[in-house]
Structures are given as structure tokens and as C-alpha cells.
């Protein structure tokens, strides 16, 4: 069984993104870019499936401009067997990305497609669910455990109030949550080896998929800033302020 | 064009986020049909019929929806939209809504707008992204707008005198794609994080899961919910459903008390709309103090028990 794992290039989690002065977009020039943290967890999950003998091959896929090859090389250095980049411009909507990923699933026919539950730039939390809909497959979002059982995969999901375990018919789409695993670091020898692993580049325009945006961004604004308040010197003073000044207790 | 609102419920009880989503739907000024898909969910539909803004409750009561499996419910919602004239499909931005609506949107070949915090007009919406560091105003050109709405941004709908009609939907969908095996829900008398008026959260500074008992004692005094930062979840102190932040729960209580939390942007994204923020941290340089209304530089292991005592 092949496992396809999607990785996204995003602004690094430690960067505080700022809005451009003309409110047209956020400022992303010269900021550090990384693999989306949840995608990294998805890659680790794919590798563990292979290492435990539940999968035969791990294929990493990304959608975006040429520079996304860096994140695919990271996935290869972690241990993915080969990579596919679907070359597009920036800022595709989740539906367009799902449609492009769907073409890869049609070609590769993976048993499991793994994605991060959410990217930390768009914060949409949509692509995995949309891909699953297009594939007509089962979906296991917010996974904290994955276990293949014959033609089915059992997924423990992080839901409001606790955990839900579902059994999904293969092929299935699974999105990774925080506690699924702790991603490994790529060792230097593996980073060197990854440079020689196959990385195929496909131009999105050759796939005949409608990726036109459905949403028009009219404005990007900064949220109202909170101001720092005061320092209190004791618990007694804090309680007094909360009671008499703020009136919240 | 009417609105189709998806109700969320668990064991015969309506989840409160649905009422916030109902308010958001009502601001569109159109008729609102509320879909209750489940088994033995009659009491949920009766509850909903009494709320302001509801034009009609649609109940689809069938074994296929017993565990609200997303593949079956998405097929049902998609069919309802295709055979009717809905202009909007709306759900609360909870684990349930986030799981369901992108699937519905893709089946309808339309975009989905996540975490809407403001409805500017029927086709224009405001949503946060980049961990809440930016707000995008987006205009949709799709025939059907599929939205999840952030519950903290809309007041809960209120009950009204009249009862809306309840209509039974007989069509069912069984895709056979997934099966419910088990659920493990933390049984707690404590109020839910997302609807609490007071939240007290702990971070890495708590040092262990056992030490969260200190926060629970304060929570008992204040009728508060207990939350955690991602660092505390990562460290294995507490379960992930307590996580407040960009990729956890978004809260906006009257009072938020951050204990031993440094204040990473990912955490601030989940609580910075709280009315009053209190920070207790021994590191006076911690970024959490930059957003706190009241900051106390102190060892939490002394300050938190003292706070409990002061509230007694």
C-alpha cells in the first residue's frame, strides 16, 4: 500500500506576521519559511506506517511555486521515498489544492492520504476534508492514533470533549493532530541522501483542473491591539481589582 | 434564499455553539432551516424549534446518522442543498463543524469560509488567519456560501414564544465508508471551555499534570473552566481538548487567567478577545504581560493557592 503525504510551505511558526500598510495582504517578504508543523506530523505518521510494514512506499506531494521543493526535500530527508511538486502560483484556495491533490491520488492510487489538520498560515482546516470528498472516500480528521486493520484503518480522533475512534474503509484520508507523534529530525547523512531522491515537477496547467479563486480578498486588516494593563503586587491586590475595578468576579 | 444551519448535538442534548451559529445565520435576514441529523434526536429538534430565528427544523432521524458519521451527514446536507434553494450553509466552527462543512463544500464544488467572525453582507465575510494576526475580508462569488462561524464572535440566540414547525426528512444516506467504534469523553461536571464566563489556564510552568489540581481548586471557586497552552499539552500534562490557541479552542470569557503561560502568538490567538486577562508568571519579561490587564509577577505555586484562599 502506498501512502501519499501532503506538505505545505508556510511562514515559520515563530514569525509574528504583520499586515501591509496598504491593507492588501500580509507582509511575507524576507520572512523565514518552513514546513507546516502539522504536515511534519503527517510525514512522520506516513514513515511510521512504512516502518511498521503497513505501507510499502511514502510519496510526499506539495502544491505551490518552485521553492516548495525545499519542504519536499525536508520530507525526503525525513525518509519519504520520492516527491511530487505540482507547480502553481501562491495563495491557492483549499478547494483548488484538493483538486490538484486529487489528480495525484488518481495516478498513484494510495491506500492512505495523510495531511496536516490545518496550516498555520491560512488556518482553514479544509484541504483534507475536501480531498476526501473528491475521492469519495472516508475521512479521519484530527487523528491522534492510526492503525491499519485489513482493508480498514482505525483512527482515534481528537474531538470536542474527548476522543472518538472510527474505522475507515481504505482508501482513506487522514489529517494529523498534535499528539499523533513527535516528528523526527532529519540527520545530516539523510539530508545529503535526500538530494538524490526523485522529485518530479508537474505544471498545474497541464492537469486541466479549475483552480480559479472563488473568494476575492477585499481587505486585510490588523486586529485591534490589546494594551498592557497594570502590574499588581500581590494576590490580594489582584482580587481587589478584579472585584471592584473590573467587576468580573 | 434560505439558510441551512447544521445543528450539533450529543446524546440528545443540543451543543451550545449551534445557538451562536444561529445568531450569525439570523444576521443574514433570510429564512433559516435547521438540520438535526441523528438517531433519537427528537428532543434536540424540539429544543431548537423554540429559538428565535428558526423558520423550520428539519429532522433526519435514522440509524445511518446515529453516530453523525461525517460521510453520511455530508451526503445528506449536499442533497438538501441541491434539491432546495439554500444560499448559505452554516455551522459552528467546532471539531464537528470543521470536519463536516469542507466536505460539503467540495461536494457542492464551492469554497468554504472558515471561522467567520463578522458577516458584512450575504456574500462578504471577515475571518482571522495567521494565528489571528490578520483579518481578511473576503467576497464569495459562489452560488452557495458555506461558512463555519466562530462561536465567540456571535451572541447565543434566545428563546421566543412561538414554536417553529418540525419537518421530517425521509431520505437517508448510508455510504458505508466509516464505522463508529468507541468514544472516550472526559466525564466532567466542569463547564465547557468555549461557553465559560471565566477560564483559568495553565502552561508549561505548571510542571506536571498533577499540579493542574491547583487550577481546578480556583476554578471551583469561580465556576470557571480549566484550559491549557499547547506547551502544556505537548508536555503531556493534560489532554488536547483543553488546549486554548490557534489550533485548539478559541475562547473569549469575561475573565481569563493565564498561569505559567509565556504567551506565544499561537496561544494569544485563542484568548486575546477575552474581556479581562490576568497573567501570573514568575518571568517578568514573559510576552503574556503585554496583553494582560492585570499582571502578577510571582511563583505560581505560591500565588495560585493564595488566590484560592483569597476567593474563599
Amino acid at each position: 500500500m502506498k501512502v501519499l503525504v501532503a506538505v505545505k510551505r508556510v511562514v515559520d511558526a515563530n514569525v509574528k506576521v504583520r499586515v501591509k500598510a496598504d491593507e492588501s495582504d500580509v507582509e511575507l517578504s524576507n520572512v523565514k519559511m518552513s514546513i507546516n508543523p502539522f504536515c511534519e506530523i503527517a510525514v512522520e505518521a506516513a514513515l511510521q506506517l512504512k516502518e511498521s510494514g503497513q505501507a510499502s512506499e511514502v510519496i510526499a506531494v506539495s502544491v505551490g511555486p518552485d521553492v516548495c521543493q525545499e519542504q519536499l526535500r525536508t520530507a525526503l530527508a525525513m525518509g519519504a521515498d520520492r516527491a511530487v511538486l505540482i507547480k502553481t502560483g501562491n495563495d491557492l484556495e483549499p478547494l483548488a489544492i484538493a483538486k490538484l491533490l486529487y489528480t495525484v491520488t488518481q495516478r498513484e492510487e494510495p491506500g492512505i492520504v495523510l495531511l496536516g489538520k490545518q496550516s498555520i498560515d491560512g488556518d482553514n482546516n479544509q484541504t483534507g476534508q475536501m480531498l476526501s470528498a473528491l475521492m469519495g472516500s472516508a475521512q479521519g480528521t484530527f487523528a491522534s492514533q492510526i492503525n491499519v486493520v485489513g482493508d480498514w484503518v482505525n483512527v482515534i480522533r481528537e474531538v470536542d470533549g474527548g476522543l472518538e475512534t472510527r474505522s475507515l474503509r481504505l482508501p482513506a484520508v487522514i489529517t494529523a493532530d498534535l499528539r499523533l507523534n513527535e516528528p523526527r529530525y532529519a540527520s545530516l547523512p539523510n539530508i545529503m541522501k535526500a538530494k538524490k531522491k526523485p522529485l518530479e515537477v508537474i505544471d498545474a496547467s497541464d492537469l486541466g483542473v479549475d483552480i480559479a479563486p472563488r473568494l476575492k480578498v477585499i481587505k486585510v486588516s490588523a486586529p485591534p491591539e490589546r494594551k498592557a494593563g497594570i502590574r499588581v503586587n500581590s494576590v490580594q491586590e489582584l482580587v481587589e481589582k478584579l472585584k471592584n475595578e473590573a467587576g468580573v468576579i | 434564499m434560505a439558510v441551512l444551519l447544521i445543528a450539533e448535538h450529543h446524546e440528545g442534548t443540543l451543543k451550545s455553539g449551534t445557538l451562536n451559529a444561529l445568531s450569525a445565520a439570523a444576521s443574514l435576514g433570510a429564512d433559516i432551516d435547521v438540520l438535526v441529523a441523528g438517531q433519537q434526536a427528537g428532543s434536540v429538534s424540539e429544543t431548537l424549534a423554540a429559538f428565535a430565528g428558526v423558520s423550520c427544523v428539519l429532522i433526519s432521524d435514522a440509524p445511518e446518522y446515529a453516530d453523525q458519521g461525517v460521510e453520511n451527514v455530508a451526503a445528506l446536507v449536499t442533497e438538501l442543498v441541491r434539491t432546495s434553494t439554500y444560499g448559505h450553509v452554516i455551522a459552528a466552527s467546532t471539531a464537528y463543524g470543521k470536519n463536516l462543512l469542507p466536505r460539503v463544500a467540495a461536494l457542492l464544488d464551492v469554497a468554504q469560509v472558515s471561522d467567520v467572525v463578522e458577516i458584512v453582507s450575504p456574500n462578504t465575510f471577515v475571518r482571522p488567519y495567521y494565528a489571528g494576526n490578520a483579518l481578511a475580508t473576503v467576497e464569495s462569488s459562489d452560488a452557495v456560501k458555506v461558512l463555519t462561524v466562530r462561536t465567540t464572535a456571535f451572541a447565543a440566540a434566545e428563546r421566543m414564544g412561538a414554536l417553529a414547525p418540525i419537518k421530517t426528512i425521509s431520505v437517508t444516506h448510508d455510504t458505508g465508508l466509516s464505522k463508529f467504534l468507541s468514544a472516550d469523553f472526559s466525564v466532567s461536571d466542569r463547564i465547557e471551555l468555549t461557553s465559560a464566563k471565566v477560564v483559568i489556564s495553565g502552561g508549561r510552568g505548571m510542571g506536571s499534570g498533577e499540579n493542574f489540581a491547583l487550577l481546578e481548586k480556583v476554578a471551583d471557586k469561580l465556576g470557571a473552566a480549566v484550559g491549557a497552552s499547547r506547551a502544556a499539552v505537548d508536555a503531556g500534562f493534560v489532554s488536547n481538548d483543553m488546549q486554548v490557541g490557534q489550533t485548539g479552542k478559541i475562547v473569549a470569557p469575561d475573565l481569563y487567567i493565564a498561569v505559567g503561560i509565556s504567551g506565544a502568538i499561537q496561544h494569544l490567538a485563542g484568548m486575546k478577545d477575552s474581556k479581562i486577562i490576568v497573567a501570573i508568571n514568575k518571568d517578568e519579561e514573559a510576552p503574556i504581560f503585554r496583553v494582560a490587564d492585570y499582571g502578577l509577577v510571582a511563583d505560581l505555586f505560591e500565588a495560585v493557592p493564595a488566590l484560592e484562599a483569597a476567593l474563599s
Side-chain angles (χ1 to χ4, degrees), chain B residues 48-69:
Chain B
L48 271 163
F51 277 89
V54 177
S55 310
C56 181
V57 179
L58 308 174
I59 177 155
S60 188
D61 204 315
E64 290 85 340
Y65 307 124
D67 59 64
Q68 298 176 73

Side-chain angles (χ1 to χ4, degrees), chain B residues 235-254:
Chain B
F237 297 169
V238 291
S239 72
N240 197 26
D241 76 305
M242 286 170 67
Q243 189 199 151
V244 172
Q246 181 188 15
T247 60
K249 294 200 168 57
I250 310 291
V251 301
D254 290 343

Side-chain angles (χ1 to χ4, degrees), chain A residues 117-218:
Chain A
K117 74 163 181 177
Q118 173 176 350
S119 64
I120 61 163
D121 53 357
D123 280 338
N124 283 300
N125 196 330
Q126 297 177 7
T127 305
Q129 294 89 315
M130 288 182 154
L131 174 61
S132 180
L134 298 175
M135 290 170 63
S137 77
Q139 77 185 39
T141 47
F142 325 142
S144 64
Q145 205 183 96
I146 301 170
N147 189 22
V148 178
V149 185
D151 294 334
W152 295 73
V153 56
N154 294 346
V155 175
I156 299 184
R157 304 181 56 234
E158 306 257 11
V159 295
D160 293 336
L163 302 170
E164 179 198 54
T165 308
R166 293 191 77 83
S167 191
L168 316 177
R169 186 189 294 279
L170 297 176
V173 174
I174 298 172
T175 72
D177 211 324
L178 190 61
R179 294 194 295 178
L180 183 55
N181 56 52
E182 235 173 81
R184 69 194 67 187
Y185 288 103
S187 66
L188 191 58
N190 286 341
I191 292 171
M192 299 310 287
K193 258 189 251 169
K195 290 182 178 164
K196 295 199 181 83
K197 287 185 179 175
L199 193 163
E200 180 189 4
V201 180
I202 303 170
D203 204 305
S205 58
D206 293 339
L207 294 171
V209 174
D210 170 20
I211 55 170
R214 310 296 184 85
L215 303 173
K216 189 171 127 195
V217 178
I218 297 174

